[in-house]
Amino acid sequence: MENKNVIIVGCARSGLAASKLAKRNGCEVTVYDQKAYSNFHQDVQQDIDDLRAMGIQFKLDENISLLDYDLIILSPGVPTDLPFLEEARNRGKNIIGELEYASTFCKAPIVAITGTNGKTTTTTLVGEIMKAYNKHTYVVGNIGRAFSEDVLDIPEDGIVVAEVSSFQLETTKTFHPKVAAILNITPDHLNRHKTMENYCQAKYDVFKNQTVADTIVLNEKDPYFEEAKKLAPSNVITFNSDVQTAQGAYKEADALYENIGQQTERICAVSELKIVGAHNIENALAAIAICTAFGVPRSIIIDELKCFMGVEHRLEYVCTKKGVDYYNDSKATNVDAAIRGLLGMSKPIHLLGGGMDKKISFEEWVKLFDGRVKKLYVIGECKDQIIDECNKQGFIAYEAYETFAQAIKAAYSEAQKEECVLLSPACASWDMFESYEQRGDLFKEIVNHLEG
């Protein structure tokens, strides 16, 4: 990986971090993006200027050929089937992703967590437990900190906890976590993966290089559990929020248990958790299984589990205005996550939904509106698709808005005391925002400035 002529495709956070890593390892580095410099956010422009000062070249909004480069590194957001990438692949060029590239420099054991939903909460929780166990723990990946940013600083006796997406996994070749987890698989990103078979295969790539000396943690309730268990080459342990597992973590009689060792041990009562909702019980069970499999003492797991407060943008309580509670669930970027958001609310809901179309059905989400959602305030490029589904299901308490702020202010004016306003879009944010974080931050900013 040293002294290569490298091109990074994609000028996002991961791509820029990979360019710095490649430069530090003596490579000639070029970064390519289809966007012009003037179209990037000011912060990204500053990063580009700083990297240019380091001797990294940028080709922005230009026609290029990848055939002159020894190694092609993709940012996760770059589709792998673009014509110029297909041409390079057919000519035998080595194409990998940023996660793969960074992992080749890592000497510490890796814990990798993937799944359609719950990745960020579980990764954050596992990260907190691991930090209490080993101060040299680094939490990286899809969670917001590129692996390439930290990898050269991670000691051999450290621990890497990585949130990994299907976009990152589909460009791996040698990525090898000591402990991996697939939390769940439900339809998502089909605009990129095209089929559920392709999407599942990308998730299964998390264990493709594991051996019997490694561990994969799987959700027994997931519809793809049996398939994943059959394909995994590693030791399988499980979690289940309904019944006892043969070997893993489970919930029984309002308490959490693990039976990975020689005997079953009670971890804590559900009431002792500060994170709420059935989905967070599953996230907690997954974290227990992952950390126990890694060898973390039970006392550390219990202490950190009981004080964990959750993550930003996932059923995050914002404030109460005029007796109405406001919740930021901007990270609900698909239907399954948004369903979990609805089920996590105990009050009548004024729901903010809509965003970028990911070619998934909204049927199961809308079916849950009756008796829960007082009104839907819909925005974004797929608002017509959501409205069509509402009409099919006989739900007519909806209204479309051109801007996010208009929708929030309408919900504010209509919600009554002892009700709640929930941002849980069921869609990606990229039609109107740079990220789900930006969408959630704006929601909180507007809400906090409302009179109340």
Side-chain angles (χ1 to χ4, degrees):
M1 291 296 178
E2 296 181 356
N3 303 313
K4 299 284 187 181
N5 187 12
V6 174
I7 186 164
I8 316 292
V9 182
C11 210
R13 179 167 44 202
S14 294
L16 296 181
S19 73
K20 287 192 287 187
L21 176 59
K23 189 66 177 177
R24 289 176 67 182
N25 281 276
C27 297
E28 289 293 323
V29 183
T30 302
V31 179
Y32 166 72
D33 200 289
Q34 293 177 332
K35 288 171 64 175
Y37 177 85
S38 60
N39 291 332
F40 285 102
H41 189 274
Q42 185 177 354
D43 291 344
V44 179
Q45 290 179 350
Q46 183 61 58
D47 289 337
I48 292 172
D49 293 342
D50 292 343
L51 293 172
R52 278 176 168 155
M54 292 172 54
I56 294 173
Q57 299 181 59
F58 282 80
K59 293 185 180 294
L60 305 177
D61 192 26
E62 300 179 28
N63 292 321
I64 66 162
S65 170
L66 302 182
L67 303 182
D68 296 330
Y69 298 92
D70 302 318
L71 178 64
I72 302 165
I73 302 173
L74 303 186
S75 291
V78 177
T80 58
D81 59 354
L82 295 175
F84 68 100
L85 291 174
E86 292 282 7
E87 178 189 11
R89 191 175 292 109
N90 292 337
R91 297 286 290 272
K93 289 296 178 179
N94 188 13
I95 303 176
I96 61 174
E98 180 269 337
L99 176 73
E100 169 71 14
Y101 183 59
S103 71
T104 63
F105 297 93
C106 186
K107 298 176 182 177
I110 298 171
V111 175
I113 298 165
T114 193
T116 305
N117 297 302
K119 294 189 296 297
T120 298
T121 299
T122 305
T123 301
T124 304
L125 174 54
V126 170
E128 292 302 304
I129 295 170
M130 292 295 187
K131 287 174 186 176
Y133 173 60
N134 182 333
K135 65 180 181 180
H136 300 298
T137 294
Y138 291 75
V139 181
V140 301
N142 195 57
I143 199 166
R145 180 75 176 176
F147 198 177
S148 294
E149 198 75 48
D150 292 322
V151 67
L152 295 184
D153 300 320
I154 300 173
E156 190 171 351
D157 63 350
I159 300 170
V160 174
V161 180
E163 177 186 328
V164 293
S165 69
S166 59
F167 293 0
Q168 292 170 310
L169 288 168
E170 68 178 349
T171 50
T172 56
K173 294 183 179 180
T174 64
F175 180 65
H176 184 169
K178 173 183 173 66
V179 178
I182 301 177
L183 304 179
N184 47 65
I185 302 178
T186 59
D188 197 12
H189 300 302
L190 298 186
N191 54 332
R192 172 151 166 176
H193 295 296
K194 311 304 181 189
T195 68
M196 278 303 294
E197 182 181 6
N198 291 341
Y199 181 49
C200 288
Q201 185 55 59
K203 293 297 187 186
Y204 299 158
D205 281 346
V206 77
F207 58 61
K208 68 180 177 183
N209 294 311
Q210 287 191 311
T211 70
V212 292
D214 305 311
T215 300
I216 179 68
V217 176
L218 299 174
N219 183 351
E220 287 184 347
K221 293 171 61 179
D222 190 77
Y224 296 94
F225 165 69
E226 292 295 342
E227 181 177 71
K229 181 181 178 181
K230 181 179 178 181
L231 292 172
S234 42
N235 176 46
V236 176
I237 66 172
T238 63
F239 63 96
N240 195 314
S241 59
D242 287 343
V243 298
Q244 182 174 335
T245 60
Q247 185 183 38
Y250 62 94
K251 181 177 81 73
E252 185 176 76
D254 295 322
L256 308 185
Y257 297 83
E258 65 91 354
N259 59 356
I260 295 172
Q262 297 298 315
Q263 58 187 11
T264 297
E265 297 287 347
R266 184 180 185 275
I267 301 299
C268 68
V270 171
S271 61
E272 294 178 281
L273 298 176
K274 291 183 171 60
I275 48 177
V276 299
H279 62 288
N280 275 325
I281 291 174
E282 290 195 345
N283 294 336
L285 290 170
I288 292 166
I290 291 165
C291 295
T292 303
F294 194 88
V296 179
R298 188 175 299 109
S299 59
I300 294 177
I301 296 173
I302 293 171
D303 288 346
E304 294 303 314
L305 195 62
K306 287 181 178 179
C307 66
F308 181 65
M309 298 295 294
V311 298
E312 191 178 18
H313 306 298
R314 191 67 183 104
L315 284 180
E316 175 192 10
Y317 170 74
V318 179
C319 63
T320 299
K321 294 287 181 82
K322 297 183 177 179
V324 177
D325 296 334
Y326 289 79
Y327 289 90
N328 167 30
D329 197 30
S330 184
K331 201 175 188 306
T333 59
N334 59 62
V335 165
D336 189 61
I339 286 173
R340 293 167 184 237
L342 288 182
L343 297 178
M345 296 292 103
S346 59
K347 297 180 177 181
I349 301 166
H350 292 258
L351 178 63
L352 299 164
M356 192 190 85
D357 186 4
K358 296 164 77 174
K359 307 301 181 186
I360 56 179
S361 169
F362 295 101
E363 180 180 357
E364 296 304 315
W365 182 49
V366 175
K367 280 182 177 179
L368 291 174
F369 287 2
D370 188 34
R372 291 184 175 89
V373 176
K374 286 200 69 175
K375 183 174 177 180
L376 171 67
Y377 306 78
V378 62
I379 59 171
E381 70 179 25
C382 64
K383 59 188 174 186
D384 290 340
Q385 183 182 345
I386 293 173
I387 288 171
D388 286 346
E389 188 61 50
C390 287
N391 291 333
K392 287 180 186 177
Q393 301 300 329
F395 182 86
I396 59 173
Y398 61 76
E399 191 167 347
Y401 297 86
E402 289 301 315
T403 72
F404 191 43
Q406 288 171 351
I408 295 170
K409 290 174 182 177
Y412 166 74
S413 67
E414 295 174 3
Q416 303 295 312
K417 189 175 180 180
E418 301 302 323
E419 297 177 345
C420 69
V421 173
L422 171 65
L423 168 64
S424 191
C427 299
S429 58
W430 300 315
D431 59 333
M432 300 173 72
F433 305 94
E434 292 183 2
S435 64
Y436 74 81
E437 294 100 331
Q438 186 190 54
R439 177 171 62 190
D441 287 340
L442 180 58
F443 175 74
K444 290 190 289 184
E445 180 183 348
I446 293 173
V447 166
N448 282 320
H449 282 88
L450 294 173
E451 183 181 348

